[in-house]
Amino acid sequence: MKFIEKIKDQARKEKKKIVLPETMDERVLKAAKIITKENIAEIILLGNKEKVLTAHPELINVKIIDPLTSDLTEEFTQKLYELRKEKGMTLEEAKKLLTEDFMYFACMLVKENMADGIVSGACHSTANTLRPALQIIKTKKDAKLVSTFFLMEIPNCEYKEDGIYVFADCGLVQNPTREELASIAIDSAKSFENLTNEQACVALLSYSTKGSAKHADVDKVAEASNIAEQSAPAMLIDGELQLDAAIVPEVAKLKAKESKVAGKANVLIFPNLDAGNIGYKLVQRFAHADAYGPVTQGMAAPVNDLSRGCSVTDIVGTVAITAVQAINRERK
């Protein structure tokens, strides 16, 4: 069984309400049909109900809310205004956001406990997806920052039997400081363990392994590794490691034989967003891997982004992951 099918099985046990605000995208509507048919989550669509059902009458049993006509809009307008008035927002601006940018309406549904999570980004940028979430849902109380990861499922992977890896950060933090990189490493380890029930083995990646090259960029990764190890001593975290030293046992024996992580890493932390974004797309395209995300970590409730190049299958998988995140959130 593919790993994402296991995630779907977990989601089915406690069906969560997941909002899909992008009903203008055909992929989203097709995904909603599959999610509903497979009983993965309870979907809430935002948009014009008549248009949605005219195009897809089989969605008749899915909840569809039109922010332009909903009874909730006036209530949400007042509450959004109260949340943001100190930042200069007016009532008129609040209503405009809720009725023109449905991500704001989706975030209010989660804020008011009418939904458990959101998946967006099929036809909007990461900034458009996460800005409303950060303004309304905000971060966890103990979170140092919000970052993202991709859950990668690599077929016929010779380095790990199930081919399941977490790559981070590939979607949000442009050039993390050493402290931010350490936080991303720790949060990504927790995300991996929550989704897989396996122990995380975290490698902070560089073009250098244990001092084989000298540069400020290398120093940052090594220092981030030390901070992460000191902050989470029970976790398996090491760096700086080159990619081959991180995942290939034979190379690890040559380059980092003392490392407890080298040769068996399952969580790969990239030094910056350029490397992370390029890295996950290389693996996705060349290895025909499934890439689910970018999944956010550090938010008070699960709000997950999509690549604008996502497939219907990607959306379905990300909704399943979002539902499992919501289940795990309630258990803590």
Side-chain angles (χ1 to χ4, degrees), residues 256-328:
K257 61 182 178 181
E258 303 299 325
S259 173
K260 294 180 180 179
V261 169
K264 52 190 176 185
N266 49 33
V267 177
L268 304 180
I269 307 301
F270 293 84
N272 57 47
L273 190 58
D274 287 330
N277 194 268
I278 293 166
Y280 101 78
K281 287 181 177 176
L282 279 171
V283 174
Q284 180 187 31
R285 300 300 178 182
F286 285 166
H288 304 289
D290 291 323
Y292 299 100
V295 181
T296 61
Q297 46 195 9
M299 294 294 301
V303 178
N304 290 323
D305 193 16
L306 295 163
S307 167
R308 277 172 283 179
C310 66
S311 66
V312 172
T313 300
D314 294 336
I315 299 171
V316 173
T318 302
V319 167
I321 290 169
T322 306
V324 171
Q325 283 183 308
I327 293 168
N328 289 335

Side-chain angles (χ1 to χ4, degrees), residues 20 26-39 43 45 55-59 62 312 316:
L20 299 178
E26 184 69 13
R27 294 168 297 174
V28 171
L29 297 178
K30 289 179 179 178
K33 288 191 290 185
I34 295 169
I35 294 159
T36 302
K37 182 178 180 180
E38 295 186 7
N39 207 32
I43 292 299
L45 296 172
H56 294 277
E58 58 274 29
L59 291 171
V62 173
V312 172
V316 173

Side-chain angles (χ1 to χ4, degrees), residues 8-175:
K8 290 178 184 178
D9 284 344
Q10 290 182 55
R12 291 184 185 104
K13 292 176 183 177
E14 300 179 45
K15 282 180 65 178
K16 294 299 176 185
K17 295 178 181 178
I18 307 299
V19 188
L20 299 178
E22 297 175 305
T23 53
M24 70 290 291
D25 193 299
E26 184 69 13
R27 294 168 297 174
V28 171
L29 297 178
K30 289 179 179 178
K33 288 191 290 185
I34 295 169
I35 294 159
T36 302
K37 182 178 180 180
E38 295 186 7
N39 207 32
I40 295 166
E42 185 178 335
I43 292 299
I44 300 173
L45 296 172
L46 301 185
N48 183 286
K49 185 172 184 177
E50 184 178 348
K51 286 183 179 178
V52 170
L53 293 181
T54 298
H56 294 277
E58 58 274 29
L59 291 171
I60 186 66
N61 294 319
V62 173
K63 187 170 186 177
I64 304 171
I65 301 174
D66 187 346
L68 292 171
T69 59
S70 172
D71 293 338
L72 292 170
T73 301
E74 290 305 318
E75 175 189 344
F76 284 179
T77 296
Q78 185 63 42
K79 289 182 175 179
L80 178 57
Y81 164 69
E82 292 296 332
L83 279 172
R84 301 292 297 170
K85 65 182 180 181
E86 292 184 2
K87 300 292 185 180
M89 183 175 288
T90 65
L91 276 168
E92 292 76 14
E93 288 169 341
K95 187 167 186 177
K96 182 179 174 68
L97 285 172
L98 289 164
T99 54
E100 293 185 6
D101 184 343
F102 291 174
M103 187 62 193
Y104 279 89
F105 197 97
C107 289
M108 289 302 300
L109 285 170
V110 173
K111 178 75 173 177
E112 296 301 308
N113 296 314
M114 297 178 185
D116 302 297
I118 305 167
V119 173
S120 186
C123 54
H124 291 88
S125 70
T126 294
N128 287 343
T129 296
L130 294 184
R131 186 187 304 108
L134 290 168
Q135 291 175 353
I136 297 170
I137 298 170
K138 303 185 185 297
T139 60
K140 291 180 184 176
K141 290 181 180 180
D142 61 345
K144 294 182 179 179
L145 82 163
V146 174
S147 61
T148 70
F149 67 90
F150 273 84
L151 181 72
M152 307 294 295
E153 185 168 14
I154 304 168
N156 306 312
C157 181
E158 62 180 292
Y159 305 118
K160 192 170 182 289
E161 185 177 351
D162 61 4
I164 304 301
Y165 292 84
V166 157
F167 288 11
D169 183 341
C170 305
L172 184 60
V173 185
Q174 177 69 48
N175 191 21

